[in-house]
Amino acid sequence: MSSEAGRQARFNQLAEDYGTDLYRYAMWICGNDALAKDLVQETYLRAWKALDKLQDVKAAKSWLITILRREYARTFERKVPKFTDVENVVVADDHELEPDDRTEIRLLRQGIMKLAPKYREPLLLQVVMGHSCKEISSLLGISKSAVMTQLFRAREQLKANMQKDGVTGNVHGLF
């Protein structure tokens, strides 16, 4: 296998392993299907160009998420994106939920999106992407204790806001 073929195979494996996670995270941060797909494509483009810099395959997911976050920030430098209300975004689910569950999830998503970015981003990285506090610390460039504090405050604010809005119970183990 030639060096270029090996590089291509390595990249294809990364895209296959993390494509769904990248898209899911992009949808959470931008709330727009087309922009999320564009962000993932730009992430792949930048990852392809810098693939030789990825030394540790175990760090690939964090590396790709960092690229995606930076690419999303670049969208604000180029132009102001058109926003889509998160309520109107339909993300295919593996199983059909009951109406009460769908309402609860919609309210949870609204509540998360109302959090200040300082609290929303670590919460999404943990809950949606499954990152540890250490990984979030590395991704956001803040201390692990700051991540833990922000996660605690995000959950407390979210819980208080949802209780104020009449949503009770443990929303799919988030609290």
Side-chain angles (χ1 to χ4, degrees):
M1 180 173 357
S2 74
S3 173
E4 188 61 27
R7 189 173 193 273
Q8 182 68 47
R10 184 177 180 205
F11 179 80
N12 289 346
Q13 190 63 51
L14 287 175
E16 184 178 321
D17 289 348
Y18 303 114
T20 302
D21 289 337
L22 289 173
Y23 173 75
R24 185 180 327 127
Y25 183 67
M27 277 298 295
W28 268 101
I29 63 173
C30 75
N32 178 290
D33 178 63
L35 180 55
K37 288 176 180 173
D38 286 347
L39 288 170
V40 172
Q41 289 302 313
E42 287 297 321
T43 299
Y44 285 152
L45 178 64
R46 289 185 184 278
W48 173 256
K49 290 177 181 177
L51 188 60
D52 297 331
K53 294 178 184 174
L54 177 63
Q55 301 299 319
D56 183 7
V57 176
K58 293 177 184 175
K61 187 175 183 179
S62 295
W63 180 66
L64 290 167
I65 291 294
T66 299
I67 294 171
L68 191 139
R69 286 179 61 245
R70 289 180 181 154
E71 191 56 37
Y72 180 60
R74 282 185 195 92
T75 63
F76 294 103
E77 294 169 5
R78 291 189 290 254
K79 62 181 170 129
V80 177
K82 293 181 182 178
F83 291 97
T84 299
D85 189 356
V86 175
E87 290 179 39
N88 299 329
V89 176
V90 178
V91 178
D93 212 351
D94 292 340
H95 57 283
E96 189 60 33
L97 298 172
E98 295 295 319
D100 287 346
D101 291 334
R102 284 194 304 262
T103 299
E104 203 170 75
I105 289 172
R106 180 180 53 80
L107 292 171
L108 177 63
R109 286 184 177 174
Q110 287 175 342
I112 290 171
M113 296 312 287
K114 288 179 185 176
L115 293 173
K118 174 181 181 176
Y119 301 115
R120 180 178 58 230
E121 194 162 13
L123 185 63
L124 290 176
L125 286 169
Q126 185 182 56
V127 175
V128 176
M129 299 305 299
H131 286 292
S132 68
C133 288
K134 183 179 178 183
E135 292 168 329
I136 295 169
S137 169
S138 175
L139 284 168
L140 298 180
I142 58 177
S143 70
K144 185 177 172 186
S145 61
V147 170
M148 292 169 43
T149 299
Q150 289 175 1
L151 287 170
F152 174 79
R153 290 181 180 163
R155 282 188 169 82
E156 290 301 306
Q157 287 178 21
L158 187 57
K159 189 178 353 178
N161 290 341
M162 292 186 73
Q163 287 173 346
K164 185 175 67 176
D165 292 339
V167 179
T168 58
N170 184 354
V171 183
H172 301 283
L174 187 63
F175 303 120

